[in-house]
Amino acid sequence: MTGTSPARGGGADRRLFIGANVANSGGTLPYAWTRSATAATDPHDPVLWRRIAETLERGVFHAFFLGDIPHPVGRPDTTLSKLEPTTLLARLAAQTSGLGFATTISSSLNEPFEIARKIHTLQRLSGGRFAVNIVTTAQREPYQNFGIDEVPARPERYARAVSFVEELIDHWARIDAGAGLPLHLLQAGGSPQGVALAAERADAVYGSASTRDYSAGLRSTLRSLATGFGRREDDILFVPGVNVTIGATQAEAEQLFDRYAGGFDSETATARLSDLLGVSLAGLSQTSRIPEELLVEALEGTADQTQSIAHRRSFITLIRELDEPLSDVIRRVDLNGSGHLTFVGTAERLAELIRTWFRTGAADGFIIRPQSVPHDLEAFVDTVVPLLQESGDFHREYGEGFFAV
Amino acid sequence: MTRDATARVWLALTDAQATRLASSPADAAAIDARGLGAIVIGLDAVTGARGQVIDAHATLAHLSAHVERTALLAAAVPLLDHPYNIARRAGSLDLLASQRTGVVIGFDDATVPDGSDAWSGGGLGEAVPFSTASVADAIEVIHELWRAWPFSAVIADRERRIFVDLDKVRSIDHRGVYAVRGPLGAPASPDGLPVLGVYARDAEELVIALSSSAETILVTEDLYRRASDRRGGEVVVHLVLHGGDALRRAGRAIEDGARRLVVTLPDIAVPALADALAPIVALLDELLDEAGTGEEETA
């Protein structure tokens, strides 16, 4: 879009784009924050955040991504302090030199001028290492901090997001005044409105896809939509998120996952899967397979406004492919309900998964979501990154430009 | 010369100086060593001395990686910028930084398009028209939000799996020009609350500043007497010092009773700024010592 992507291209020189989304300083598992006995996992510890940024830079990550919900979550056990992401990333940009940063801004709860001024300032200070992810906030509490009692309907929120991006681009041009600093847009989420906006404007989409086929379909749709806006297919990257727990052995990884998932409750997990599929699995034995007729019923059912039909289909594909008992299937439902792929295992298996998705055109890279911070990030950098570099799939040093792969 | 004494002199950077300093760790460290009371960024937009369009808070957050001792303040104008967002950004920086940080609320932002609302509502909620009343209310919202989640609520008990004592975290349910529920997404710093300052340029703004919850009032030279009558040691006089008459004007302000000064040296580029500051700070300190009653000052 307004940015440049100098080193990007299809074909043989294609390389992975890898970013990290640090959900909070603990990780994506609810009790990961209890893993370290020291203050090092406190969410406001500047030393920990610097260590995370330096770890990512050591791993030649393209981007450090942070999400944002401007309100605390009201649970005493998992309510971790959430720093305002742009402030944190602005400081970390001064402590790094090659790592890119992607901050999240709610189009519902910010003004385009203010954001244009802010991101432009950070582009200048960081030497072009900032991107912005525009989201439409869907939770009620944040709106109440801005004088809005109820969550506005989805069409209104998306209309605001579209006008927000247009105004952002206009303000950017005026503020930039010919200086030539690019506005990099990243788009997270998979709603039709979001995908359309991304196809026209975004440099990359951070999506959620639990199977390779589903991911390939999303990527292909996005690339094709982009050409409809006069862009090249390679002008937009599709990078799904993956929750990762890495162990020296498969057994160790599973043990870590179970410990910080908060005591695995198969009843809750089964209910969550029932919601996702739109059929009740309550009567099934945990040791049996989900009957094919239930899967067919799920495929034919309709999703309510908060459910994604496409995501349900992708998950059913996965269930059929794996042919596992219910007890294994429910573990694959992401604990956060975010729909991201969840990986629990060794570095070799993770590298193979990433390589396979990448080489078969299912993804242009991944956003790594460490389930325990900093442990899983450090394990990824020390054990997975070298494997991807040795096979030539991932770069060894930073190139020119944020999205240069 | 004691640290408390030198803390009577603050430095307000022009936008150009701030941008340069934030990208220059060595220069930032040199200025950090000058024993200033505070570094202030973003006053150009408030006073109308506009140059570049910069985001003061983002610049300050970047600079905070290289300045460890001197207090850091960013101008913030609640004009196309909601007080909840101003409060959370400043609160987050204060948690991360080793020194005190905070905001100086201004009544105008020369970089914002003319006729803008304080808050547009984005078509999703009601707009808040911009006025001195909206600024006054924004100051109170920020003041309340910083107090709603004290650090003592953070227990981080790993055995019992309790991170926060939610009984100590409260909503503010503010109903004024703004309606704000709160709290912020993170607690206040264990070292205390961020600095809440206000910059007044005229009599009307001064009245609001003086009756607000702000702990520090920055004023132009001509407003000093009226301000100090009410708020004494909380008042900081802003002096934009150009060449020859610089020190004479500073001397006059001190004769007038000013005991805290924030100086802008617009003609000096960043590489020379730390060196240029040394004699100025020393001289102002000498003048302040002669004038006496500087003993209560701490920044």
Side-chain angles (χ1 to χ4, degrees):
Chain A
M1 50 149 307
T2 48
T4 53
S5 312
R8 188 188 303 173
D13 61 346
R14 193 171 157 257
R15 297 273 178 89
L16 283 158
F17 178 92
I18 296 184
N21 177 12
V22 181
N24 57 49
S25 64
T28 54
L29 291 180
Y31 299 108
W33 68 271
T34 65
R35 183 164 173 182
S36 167
T38 70
T41 53
D42 281 350
H44 11 72
D45 178 358
V47 177
L48 172 70
W49 285 111
R50 182 172 187 165
R51 175 173 161 189
I52 291 171
E54 287 173 348
T55 300
L56 294 177
E57 193 157 64
R58 181 158 54 83
V60 210
F61 271 57
H62 290 91
F64 185 169
F65 175 98
L66 286 175
D68 188 33
I69 297 174
H71 196 82
V73 182
R75 271 181 57 175
D77 53 347
T78 56
T79 295
L80 298 185
S81 314
K82 295 275 254 183
L83 295 169
E84 194 278 310
T86 312
T87 300
L88 174 57
L89 296 180
R91 185 174 154 101
L92 294 175
Q95 294 168 331
T96 50
S97 58
L99 180 63
F101 297 92
T103 193
T104 296
I105 298 291
S106 167
S107 54
S108 303
L109 308 175
N110 285 281
E111 299 283 5
F113 171 79
E114 201 267 320
I115 299 309
R117 182 174 59 184
K118 185 194 308 296
I119 304 300
H120 191 270
T121 294
L122 289 170
Q123 273 291 67
R124 181 158 49 198
L125 293 176
S126 68
R129 292 187 287 135
F130 260 81
V132 61
N133 168 41
I134 305 296
V135 297
T136 71
T137 299
Q139 298 80 9
R140 186 175 176 222
E141 291 83 358
Y143 283 97
Q144 295 179 334
N145 294 325
F146 294 82
I148 302 170
D149 286 335
E150 300 294 338
V151 180
R154 197 178 280 184
E156 290 173 36
R157 285 189 277 127
Y158 276 95
R160 165 63 173 173
V162 170
S163 68
F164 189 99
V165 170
E166 285 167 357
E167 287 180 48
L168 180 65
I169 291 168
D170 286 349
H171 288 305
W172 186 279
R174 229 177 355 262
I175 291 169
D176 190 55
L181 285 171
L183 168 60
H184 295 310
L185 287 178
L186 186 81
Q187 168 80 26
S191 72
Q193 300 96 323
V195 169
L197 185 60
E200 183 178 0
R201 305 281 195 194
D203 294 271
V205 166
Y206 169 18
S208 45
S210 61
T211 72
R212 184 151 60 91
D213 286 346
Y214 182 51
S215 189
L218 288 178
R219 177 170 178 263
S220 166
T221 303
L222 191 66
R223 287 162 66 86
S224 147
L225 284 172
T227 60
F229 290 103
R231 305 175 70 193
R232 294 175 309 155
E233 286 192 331
D234 288 330
D235 284 346
I236 188 159
L237 302 176
F238 181 71
V239 282
V242 56
N243 299 308
V244 301
T245 295
I246 300 169
T249 62
Q250 185 65 30
E252 185 192 86
E254 287 175 9
Q255 203 176 19
L256 287 168
F257 180 87
D258 286 348
R259 189 179 308 156
Y260 301 109
F264 191 73
D265 171 9
S266 58
E267 204 172 309
T268 308
T270 305
R272 205 192 298 273
L273 180 58
S274 296
D275 280 352
L276 181 64
L277 297 180
V279 295
S280 173
L281 305 171
L284 281 184
S285 154
Q286 289 289 325
T287 55
S288 64
R289 263 68 174 167
I290 300 173
E292 178 58 24
E293 57 266 31
L294 269 185
L295 295 179
V296 171
E297 189 187 329
L299 271 178
E300 289 169 353
T302 54
D304 68 25
Q305 218 197 336
T306 60
Q307 296 287 355
S308 154
I309 290 253
H311 187 68
R312 180 185 294 177
R313 285 184 178 151
S314 98
F315 207 81
I316 290 170
T317 311
L318 180 72
I319 291 169
R320 283 174 169 157
E321 195 176 293
L322 295 168
D323 192 28
E324 291 174 336
L326 182 59
S327 59
D328 287 347
V329 173
I330 55 178
R331 281 169 187 271
R332 295 181 183 273
V333 181
D334 179 19
L335 285 160
N336 301 322
S338 63
H340 290 293
L341 177 67
T342 292
F343 173 87
V344 179
T346 61
E348 291 75 16
R349 277 190 54 221
L350 181 53
E352 190 50 40
L353 180 149
I354 290 173
R355 229 180 258 131
T356 305
W357 284 47
F358 177 59
R359 291 182 182 176
T360 57
D364 294 298
F366 280 91
I367 301 289
I368 306 302
R369 298 164 49 93
Q371 306 213 86
S372 171
V373 177
H375 315 84
D376 289 318
L377 266 186
E378 290 176 353
F380 188 91
V381 167
D382 293 334
T383 61
V384 181
V385 165
L387 294 173
L388 296 172
Q389 288 171 330
E390 278 162 28
S391 60
D393 294 289
F394 189 48
H395 67 178
R396 290 177 185 274
E397 55 192 35
Y398 286 108
E400 290 292 316
F402 191 98
F403 290 94
V405 291
Chain B
M1 188 187 301
T2 67
R3 168 135 177 82
D4 281 354
T6 53
R8 294 176 301 195
V9 182
W10 299 9
L11 175 67
L13 297 167
T14 64
D15 289 348
Q17 289 169 337
T19 299
R20 181 69 192 271
L21 196 67
S23 307
S24 173
D27 289 320
I31 287 180
D32 194 20
R34 282 287 167 258
L36 295 161
I39 294 170
V40 189
I41 289 181
L43 289 185
D44 278 1
V46 174
T47 60
R50 64 183 296 181
Q52 302 166 266
V53 177
I54 72 158
D55 182 287
H57 173 79
T59 307
L60 198 77
H62 200 79
L63 179 65
S64 77
H66 308 304
V67 173
E68 295 173 350
R69 287 174 285 180
T70 313
L72 294 174
L73 308 178
V77 181
L79 174 54
L80 291 185
D81 198 5
H82 197 281
Y84 188 88
N85 287 333
I86 294 173
R88 68 190 294 249
R89 289 196 300 260
S92 288
L93 180 59
D94 203 44
L95 271 168
L96 289 167
S98 53
Q99 71 277 47
R100 276 199 95 184
T101 63
V103 297
V104 175
I105 302 295
F107 288 83
D108 193 19
D109 184 336
T111 67
V112 170
D114 290 342
S116 297
D117 282 322
W119 180 245
S120 77
L124 304 175
E126 282 183 31
V128 176
F130 184 67
S131 68
T132 48
S134 69
V135 177
D137 196 48
I139 294 168
E140 300 315 309
V141 168
I142 294 165
H143 177 81
E144 290 171 44
L145 282 170
W146 284 346
R147 284 159 177 77
W149 183 347
F151 194 83
S152 60
V154 176
I155 298 165
D157 184 331
R158 288 165 171 80
E159 290 291 309
R160 293 191 297 145
R161 289 184 162 182
I162 298 174
F163 182 78
V164 63
D165 177 358
L166 286 179
D167 290 340
K168 289 186 178 171
V169 182
R170 58 184 180 80
S171 302
I172 63 167
D173 293 320
H174 179 94
R175 298 274 161 186
V177 176
Y178 293 95
V180 180
R181 182 180 174 210
L184 297 173
S189 161
D191 304 324
L193 300 176
V195 176
L196 180 53
V198 179
Y199 192 104
R201 299 168 303 170
D202 59 33
E204 185 191 8
E205 294 173 3
L206 183 63
V207 168
I208 291 169
L210 292 174
S211 60
S212 75
S213 298
E215 66 180 88
T216 299
I217 317 284
L218 280 71
V219 294
T220 50
E221 289 167 86
D222 51 319
L223 291 177
Y224 175 72
R225 275 199 183 284
R226 268 187 285 178
S228 64
D229 285 349
R230 286 270 304 278
R231 291 283 198 111
E234 297 169 357
V235 179
V236 186
V237 181
H238 184 207
L239 300 167
V240 181
L241 302 178
H242 292 278
D245 72 333
L247 292 171
R248 185 167 49 77
R249 275 181 44 232
R252 199 165 59 223
I254 291 168
E255 274 171 30
D256 240 17
R259 293 297 173 266
R260 283 207 279 182
L261 309 170
V262 53
V263 298
T264 299
L265 306 169
D267 305 326
I268 301 174
V270 162
L273 197 53
D275 285 345
L277 269 173
I280 293 170
V281 171
L283 186 60
L284 291 180
D285 264 315
E286 202 175 304
L287 291 172
L288 285 164
D289 282 340
E290 283 170 14
T293 69
E295 64 282 354
E296 78 282 9
E297 302 304 340
T298 51

